[in-house]
């Protein structure tokens, strides 16, 4: 009689188990981040292919890039399609800048061009890079004495007033680096300027050597970009730009207050330095000065006279979002959405196609999982947006078109823009996602040190104390419409924050290969964390949201607000009371989760997850912020004078600014009203999280 040894029996039992049972989802998640599933050479190839040519929104090159993304999604057996919108984009027609240093000196005409370097591998397509310009800049001519305004912030103009400098009817020269360039132009207009020049100061973006010998911006490098500070197509605010839709006229767009009303141009450090040398007047403050070898910076006005001329053209262009959908098995009507934009001002190796390459890597890994039997519990949606650089247009139009469905069904939005910029790992999120991000970081190997995880290196970059995540109040990338318009939990990931050749023609594959990520291991790591968080949100039976983190964050924000207005007679009692309710609800739902896991009830599971999803929606209000109604979220929205900046309780901050200016009883009463609005929203969120009627 044939007998099995104990070892043979164990082996046979193991094989039987594998073939007759479905592995736990954690098994597939571990495979997803394993070396056998990742491929840095494939990521490098994606990036190389995507960045062969400049591909600004609305161009043929960007349409070809969309075709490439679609082909990769399709090759991964992911059902995919293109969603197009017809949107208002602007392009430069002509530009000029002439400087007259003094009445006795000859005028200087600037070339306004970025130089091709020796052996530039992209020299043959450099002529496809658009002339340096600001998108949605005002067409016109401005001639006046030059005033140097540091970073062009509101406080910088306050300093100029204290110095006795009159900005009216001048051309402002401001360096980029602290606030959104559109707000530089808006702030200059508010101060009375008639034109603006922005430059990338060597102090902030330069070094002893520059690209291609080092990572720094060359003297001729120019940071181009957007100066419209709205979100989405400016001619269709709040509704999608589909077909023959309703559009605002140019005059109506102007009246919305988001496009500049004076002309502006971006210029290089070399041109900015030449202008600085011709400005007289008082010496600028120490913190307004340039680098150690710079000429002394003075504030003016004049004696130099700048003549700035710009003519742009607005056209209705077709943009293309590429959408891939992996349908969920148990909950196909719940969406976990991953997004990255594709369009670039120039070649876009860092911004944004390092993120695009990581998204394509995720698609390829998900295909491998599907081949061995994995199916997500919830639907995963892969989105490659267009026209982000023009004001987050592709993602915003899609959110506006699908608003009601997304508000009902979106679990979370996971964004990666510039996946690799250089520097340590960083993450920003709505607070209920903090914990899952840190858990994912603990599972992924640090690409720069194989002996530790990303979490450990992240912790070390913060002095080994605590992990600090950013928040998503700014309008810096495609999470904005999801968080600030419809209230979807969201995150944004990258290695580093800012890079020297940002938005210049030197953001190419060669820069990335030489300085950003030579072995493309950081790209692999971003794809691993990004995808792992997505898998957890798509597969975990109970969504891994922690609203105790949210309550703690709100408590800190309230304490900061109290310190700011402690002597103004504003009561924060309702705000603190609402936060206390959220704390109790966050604790209560943890108990509900424990009870649910014991009962294993499908109906109860669905109801509990819906509470976790919809709590974020409760922080929004239909009327939106008082003077910025597109922004519906009462906890997170951009700062009024810095579109990249993030304010907690933005409606309160706006009201405080008005009250400080007017200093009237009514204006301070409006601050109290905004505090009540936030308190009511937080109370609503706690009720949703609790899941019980009053």
């Amino acid at each position: 009689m044939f007998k099995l040894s104990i070892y043979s029996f164990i082996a046979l039992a193991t094989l039987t188990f594998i073939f007759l049972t479905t592995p736990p989802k954690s098994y597939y998640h571990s495979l997803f981040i394993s070396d056998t599933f990742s491929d840095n050479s494939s990521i490098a190839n994606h990036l190389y292919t995507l960045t062969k040519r400049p591909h600004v929104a609305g161009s043929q090159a960007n349409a070809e890039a969309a075709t490439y993304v679609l082909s990769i999604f399709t090759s991964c057996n992911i059902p995919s399609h293109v969603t197009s919108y017809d949107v208002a984009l602007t392009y430069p027609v002509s530009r000029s800048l002439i400087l007259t240093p003094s009445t006795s000196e000859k005028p200087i005409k600037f070339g306004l061009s970025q130089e091709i370097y020796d052996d530039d591998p992209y020299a043959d397509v450099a002529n496809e890079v658009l002339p340096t310009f600001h998108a949605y800049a005002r067409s016109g001519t401005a001639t006046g004495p030059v005033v140097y305004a540091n970073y062009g912030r509101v406080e910088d103009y306050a300093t100029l007033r204290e110095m006795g400098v009159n900005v009216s009817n001048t051309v402002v020269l401001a360096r980029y680096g602290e606030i959104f360039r559109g707000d530089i132009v808006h702030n200059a207009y508010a101060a009375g300027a008639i034109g603006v020049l922005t430059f990338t100061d060597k102090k902030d973006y330069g070094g002893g050597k520059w690209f291609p010998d080092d990572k720094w911006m060359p003297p001729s490098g120019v940071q181009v970009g957007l100066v419209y500070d709205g979100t989405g197509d400016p001619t269709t605010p709040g509704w999608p730009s589909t077909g023959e839709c309703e559009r605002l006229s140019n005059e109506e767009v102007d009246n919305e207050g988001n496009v500049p009303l004076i002309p502006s141009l971006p210029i290089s450090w070399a041109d900015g330095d030449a202008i600085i040398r011709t400005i007289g007047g008082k010496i600028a403050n120490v913190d307004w000065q340039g680098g150690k070898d710079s000429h002394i910076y003075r504030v003016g006005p004049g004696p130099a006279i700048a003549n700035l001329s710009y003519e742009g053209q607005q056209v209705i262009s077709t943009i293309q979002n590429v959408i891939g959908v992996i349908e969920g098995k148990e909950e196909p009507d719940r969406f976990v959405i991953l997004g990255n934009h594709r369009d670039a001002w120039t070649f876009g190796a860092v911004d944004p196609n390092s993120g695009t390459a990581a998204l394509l890597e995720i698609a390829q890994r998900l295909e491998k999982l599907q081949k061995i039997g994995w199916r997500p519990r919830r639907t995963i949606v892969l989105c490659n947006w267009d026209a982000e650089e023009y004001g987050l247009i592709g993602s915003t139009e899609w959110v506006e078109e699908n608003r009601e469905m997304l508000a009902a069904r979106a679990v979370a939005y996971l964004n990666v823009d510039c996946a690799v910029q250089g520097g340590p790992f960083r993450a920003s999120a709505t607070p209920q996602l903090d914990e899952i991000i840190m858990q994912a970081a603990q599972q992924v190997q640090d690409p720069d040190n194989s002996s530790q995880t990303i979490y450990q290196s992240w912790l070390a970059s913060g002095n080994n104390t605590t992990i600090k995540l950013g928040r998503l109040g700014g309008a810096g990338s495609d999470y904005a419409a999801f968080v600030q318009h419809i209230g979807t939990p969201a995150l944004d990931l990258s290695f580093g924050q800012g890079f020297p050749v940002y938005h210049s023609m030197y953001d190419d594959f060669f820069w990335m290969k030489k300085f950003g990520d030579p072995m493309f291991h950081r790209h692999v790591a971003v794809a691993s964390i990004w995808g792992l968080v997505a898998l957890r949100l798509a597969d975990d039976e109970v969504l891994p949201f922690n609203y105790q983190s949210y309550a703690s964050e709100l408590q800190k924000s309230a304490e900061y607000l109290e310190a700011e207005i402690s002597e103004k007679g504003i009561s924060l009692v309702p705000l603190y009371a609402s936060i206390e309710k959220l704390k109790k609800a966050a604790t209560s739902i943890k108990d509900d989760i424990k009870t649910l896991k014991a009962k294993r009830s499908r109906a109860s599971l669905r109801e509990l997850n819906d509470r976790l999803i919809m709590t974020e929606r409760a922080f929004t209000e239909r009327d939106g912020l008082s003077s910025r109604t597109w922004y519906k979220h009462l906890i997170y929205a951009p700062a009024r004078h810095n579109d990249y900046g993030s304010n907690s309780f933005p409606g309160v901050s706006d009201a405080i600014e008005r009250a400080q200016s007017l200093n009237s009883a009514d204006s301070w009463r409006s601050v109290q009203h905004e505090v009540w609005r936030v308190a009511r929203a937080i109370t609503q969120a706690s009720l949703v999280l609790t899941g019980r009627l009053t």
Side-chain angles (χ1 to χ4, degrees):
M1 184 177 179
F2 179 73
K3 294 182 180 180
L4 286 173
S5 72
I6 185 64
Y7 301 107
S8 299
F9 178 80
I10 292 172
L12 182 61
T14 301
L15 286 171
T16 302
F17 176 81
I18 291 173
F19 283 108
L20 297 181
T21 64
T22 301
K25 291 296 177 71
S26 58
Y27 166 77
Y28 295 112
H29 300 179
S30 296
L31 280 179
F32 180 87
I33 62 174
S34 68
D35 290 342
T36 56
F37 267 51
S38 61
D39 190 345
N40 60 326
S41 62
S42 176
I43 289 181
N45 182 64
H46 290 319
L47 187 62
Y48 176 76
T49 302
L50 288 162
T51 59
K52 285 181 178 179
R53 295 169 62 194
H55 49 285
V56 71
S59 68
Q60 179 60 34
N62 200 40
E64 291 170 3
T67 300
Y68 179 76
V69 171
L70 181 65
S71 72
I72 299 300
F73 283 180
T74 303
S75 71
C76 294
N77 294 311
I78 298 173
S80 304
H81 63 276
V82 170
T83 300
S84 298
Y85 298 97
D86 297 320
V87 302
L89 304 179
T90 70
Y91 303 98
V93 175
S94 65
R95 317 150 301 142
S96 70
L97 177 61
I98 300 172
L99 181 75
T100 304
S102 68
T103 54
S104 61
E105 296 178 81
K106 291 182 178 180
I108 302 168
K109 185 170 184 177
F110 294 98
L112 304 178
S113 62
Q114 303 183 81
E115 295 176 359
I116 297 170
Y117 54 89
D118 291 342
D119 301 319
D120 184 347
Y122 297 99
D124 59 335
V125 292
N127 64 331
E128 296 181 25
V129 175
L130 288 179
T132 53
F133 81 117
H134 282 149
Y136 301 108
R138 190 67 153 195
S139 292
T141 298
T143 302
V146 182
V147 166
Y148 169 57
N150 196 24
Y151 292 107
R153 299 166 295 187
V154 170
E155 56 264 39
D156 292 327
Y157 287 103
T159 298
L160 287 173
R161 286 194 297 273
E162 292 169 3
M163 296 176 73
V165 177
N166 183 3
V167 179
S168 296
N169 297 310
T170 66
V171 174
V172 160
L173 175 69
R175 54 187 177 181
Y176 185 81
E178 291 293 327
I179 63 173
F180 171 57
R181 73 188 69 76
D183 290 307
I184 294 176
V185 180
H186 284 280
N187 294 344
Y189 173 76
I194 57 174
V196 179
L197 301 168
T198 61
F199 75 108
T200 46
D201 198 342
K202 184 179 179 182
K203 177 182 179 181
D204 300 309
Y205 292 88
K209 295 181 179 180
W210 51 78
F211 188 69
D213 298 317
D214 207 334
K215 67 180 181 179
W216 302 105
M217 179 81 93
S220 72
V222 178
Q223 182 197 125
V224 303
L226 179 75
V227 289
Y228 159 62
D229 69 358
T231 305
D233 183 342
T235 68
T236 61
W239 63 90
S241 301
T242 53
E244 296 298 322
C245 64
E246 177 187 9
R247 291 187 186 275
L248 300 186
S249 67
N250 289 340
E251 182 180 357
E252 288 171 324
V253 170
D254 288 348
N255 291 337
E256 289 282 305
N258 295 318
V259 294
L261 299 177
I262 55 176
S264 64
L265 277 178
I267 60 175
S268 66
W269 167 75
D271 291 349
D273 182 66
I275 295 171
I276 284 282
R277 292 172 182 271
T278 67
I279 299 176
K282 294 180 179 179
I283 295 175
N285 294 342
V286 172
D287 58 339
W288 287 38
Q289 295 296 326
K292 61 181 180 179
D293 299 323
S294 297
H295 184 77
I296 293 175
Y297 287 18
R298 296 177 181 269
V299 296
I305 302 294
N307 181 292
L308 175 169
S309 180
Y310 172 75
E311 181 185 354
Q313 179 185 26
Q314 180 171 295
V315 298
I316 301 298
S317 296
T318 299
I319 63 168
Q320 299 175 311
N321 293 336
V322 183
I323 311 294
V325 180
I326 304 174
E327 189 171 281
K329 186 176 181 181
E330 289 91 352
E331 298 182 71
D333 60 341
R334 293 293 178 262
F335 308 146
V336 176
I337 306 167
L338 292 77
N340 153 269
H341 77 95
R342 180 185 66 258
D343 65 297
W345 286 122
T346 62
F347 296 96
V350 175
D351 184 8
N353 298 133
S354 59
T356 315
L359 183 67
L360 298 180
E361 164 77 359
I362 287 173
Q364 291 173 320
R365 292 195 208 178
L366 293 179
E367 181 198 19
K368 293 175 184 177
L369 287 184
Q370 290 190 84
K371 284 182 175 179
I372 59 171
W374 167 84
R375 282 279 304 281
R377 178 184 184 88
R378 303 177 186 93
T379 294
I380 294 176
V381 185
L382 306 180
C383 301
N384 186 231
W385 310 118
D386 203 347
E388 186 269 359
E389 298 292 4
Y390 276 87
L392 318 179
I393 291 180
S395 58
T396 299
E397 302 309 309
W398 192 76
V399 168
E400 290 174 346
E401 183 172 32
N402 297 284
R403 180 190 294 114
E404 298 307 318
M405 191 182 301
L406 291 171
R409 301 183 180 186
V411 173
Y413 174 69
L414 315 178
N415 190 70
V416 170
D417 191 324
C418 308
V420 178
Q421 306 178 65
F425 179 77
R426 56 164 289 278
S428 298
T430 49
Q432 74 275 64
L433 296 180
D434 289 1
E435 190 173 278
I436 188 177
I437 295 169
M438 289 187 281
Q439 288 171 353
Q442 289 171 340
Q443 292 181 253
V444 178
Q445 181 179 291
D446 179 3
D448 301 316
N449 183 348
S450 60
S451 67
Q452 62 183 11
T453 64
I454 287 177
Y455 179 84
Q456 290 169 315
S457 63
W458 192 8
L459 191 63
S461 69
N463 300 317
N464 288 307
T465 52
T466 57
I467 294 289
K468 184 171 178 57
L469 286 88
R471 298 300 167 212
L472 298 178
S477 194
D478 289 301
Y479 53 76
F482 289 92
V483 177
Q484 299 155 17
H485 192 59
I486 62 171
T488 302
L491 60 75
D492 184 63
L493 308 174
S494 76
F495 272 94
Q497 189 169 17
F499 62 105
V501 296
Y502 175 63
H503 281 194
S504 75
M505 69 178 287
Y506 308 107
D507 177 13
D508 60 24
F509 184 83
F510 183 57
W511 188 93
M512 178 63 76
K513 178 73 174 171
K514 192 169 183 181
F515 303 112
D517 191 14
M519 299 303 294
F520 292 87
H521 289 155
R522 290 183 171 188
H523 286 75
V524 169
V526 169
S528 293
I529 291 187
W530 191 10
L532 185 56
V533 172
L535 287 171
R536 288 282 311 280
L537 292 172
D539 285 340
D540 283 15
E541 285 194 345
V542 176
L543 288 169
F545 289 174
N546 184 351
Y547 278 97
Q548 290 176 323
S549 297
Y550 220 127
S552 297
E553 189 72 13
L554 292 175
Q555 181 75 22
K556 293 175 190 174
S557 297
E559 291 168 358
Y560 179 84
L561 177 62
E562 184 175 28
E564 185 180 3
I565 59 173
S566 58
E567 299 177 359
K568 300 299 181 181
I570 304 299
S571 173
L572 297 186
V573 170
L575 180 58
Y576 281 121
S578 67
I579 294 170
E580 193 61 34
K581 292 175 185 175
L582 184 63
K583 288 179 183 177
K584 291 179 180 177
T587 301
S588 176
I589 201 167
K590 281 191 170 292
D591 294 334
D592 292 347
I593 291 170
K594 291 177 183 176
T595 302
L596 175 68
K597 287 181 177 179
K599 289 183 176 180
R600 307 292 296 176
S601 165
R602 285 189 179 182
S604 298
L605 175 64
R606 175 81 166 188
E607 186 272 340
L608 185 142
N609 280 331
D610 283 351
R611 285 153 55 190
L612 290 165
I613 293 169
M614 299 308 291
T615 296
E616 184 71 44
R617 312 280 198 274
F619 293 123
T620 65
E621 190 179 273
R622 185 182 299 275
D623 294 337
L625 301 184
S626 296
S627 58
R628 299 184 284 160
T629 57
W630 185 88
Y631 297 102
K632 309 297 184 186
H633 208 288
L634 299 191
I635 310 301
Y636 295 118
R640 174 173 287 280
H641 297 291
N642 179 13
D643 213 41
Y644 286 164
S646 174
N647 273 349
S648 296
F649 314 138
V652 179
S653 296
D654 289 353
I656 289 172
E657 182 185 328
R658 287 193 297 272
Q660 288 173 336
S661 175
L662 299 173
N663 201 27
S664 64
D666 282 347
S667 64
W668 285 107
R669 194 175 299 114
S670 72
V671 175
Q672 186 68 70
H673 170 65
E674 293 296 336
V675 170
W676 274 109
R677 287 184 75 198
V678 174
R680 287 192 288 268
I682 296 172
T683 298
Q684 285 295 317
S686 67
L687 288 171
V688 172
L689 192 58
T690 303
R692 286 181 285 275
L693 293 171
T694 58

